[in-house]
Amino acid sequence: MTHRILILGGTTEARQLAGKLAARASVTLSLAGRTESPVAQGVPVRTGGFGGAEGLAAYLQETGIDLLIDATHPYAARISANAAQAARVAGVPIVALRRPGWEPVEGDRWTQVDIVSDAVQALGPAPRRAFLALGRQEVAAFEAAPQHHYLIRSVDAVEPKLAVPDAHYLLARGPFREAEERALLEEHRIDIVVSKNSGGDATYGKIAAARALGIEVVMVRRPALPDVPSAETVEALAAIVNQFGADHLL
């Protein structure tokens, strides 16, 4: 019996996991639709929201989903909360893919803050040359500090552009390697980096480059996420899913 799995995705790991599981399960990958040109996924894709936890619970029941996997970005706290609630309501098992966060090491100059508006304040009153590596959803908060020069990188264009006098925009999709990031920081004479603690290797290059150059990093801590069974890697989560299939459906 083939079991039906819904993966809430948007991360590289979600795509990798879908590929691993597609051979032995009916996998649908759900994307929020925030990226205009997502990478090809290789499995059936559903794009757009569900209408909160209630809508997701209804979808799980209507489509006969046997297992819900939350493989969203570590900062998609609302989606993760809705997923946990929907799984409870629908009586569907849930497991999450939670990549470990980065930890500061010797040579790092981190200022850790809880939310993006605190990161704006952490830049201070004097003009800085700041690299915002946050994604386009978050950068509008920096309009509150127009004295800084901003280098803003995102997968899709920031629209509307920030109402600040000095900003440079880059469109790029990771992974970003340390050597490339170091060259970027030097070219733009960056003296402070603002980042989310995304974890993983794909975007760690800027953190390593900042360390090598002695540049300060304002790191936005991860939000609290629901307490559900989880794994840290694609391989570990695939093993859990395979055991789930053996225990429940095969």
Side-chain angles (χ1 to χ4, degrees), residues 71-215:
T72 56
H73 193 273
Y75 287 78
R78 181 175 297 176
I79 298 175
S80 291
N82 286 343
Q85 184 179 342
R88 282 195 303 272
V89 170
V92 172
I94 182 173
V95 62
L97 183 58
R98 302 260 173 87
R99 72 172 84 128
W102 300 319
E103 297 289 342
V105 299
E106 185 176 353
D108 281 326
R109 299 174 57 207
W110 287 15
T111 298
Q112 300 197 57
V113 298
D114 288 327
I115 55 177
V116 171
S117 59
D118 291 341
V120 178
Q121 296 300 314
L123 295 181
R128 308 287 299 270
R129 297 185 65 83
F131 176 31
L132 305 185
L134 295 167
R136 63 174 180 162
Q137 310 289 331
E138 307 283 7
V139 297
F142 291 84
E143 290 183 338
Q147 71 272 30
H148 306 297
H149 165 82
Y150 293 111
L151 174 63
I152 301 168
R153 183 170 66 195
S154 57
V155 174
D156 297 313
V158 175
E159 296 291 350
K161 288 183 164 44
L162 297 197
V164 298
D166 193 2
H168 182 85
Y169 298 86
L170 285 178
L171 293 182
R173 189 193 302 269
F176 302 107
R177 300 305 173 206
E178 180 180 349
E180 301 163 356
E181 297 291 69
R182 181 168 181 161
L184 181 71
L185 296 177
E186 290 181 319
E187 177 190 352
H188 290 271
R189 306 193 315 280
I190 296 301
D191 58 44
I192 191 164
V193 174
V194 184
S195 175
K196 291 178 175 178
N197 193 338
S198 299
D201 297 329
T203 59
Y204 187 69
K206 63 179 175 287
I207 307 303
R211 181 193 313 128
L213 295 170
I215 292 173

Side-chain angles (χ1 to χ4, degrees), residues 8 23-24 42 45 63 74 80 86-87 110 119 124 126 133 143 156 160 165 175 193 200 205 209 244 248:
L8 304 180
R24 65 187 311 276
V45 172
T63 55
S80 291
W110 287 15
E143 290 183 338
D156 297 313
V193 174
F244 172 86
H248 292 81

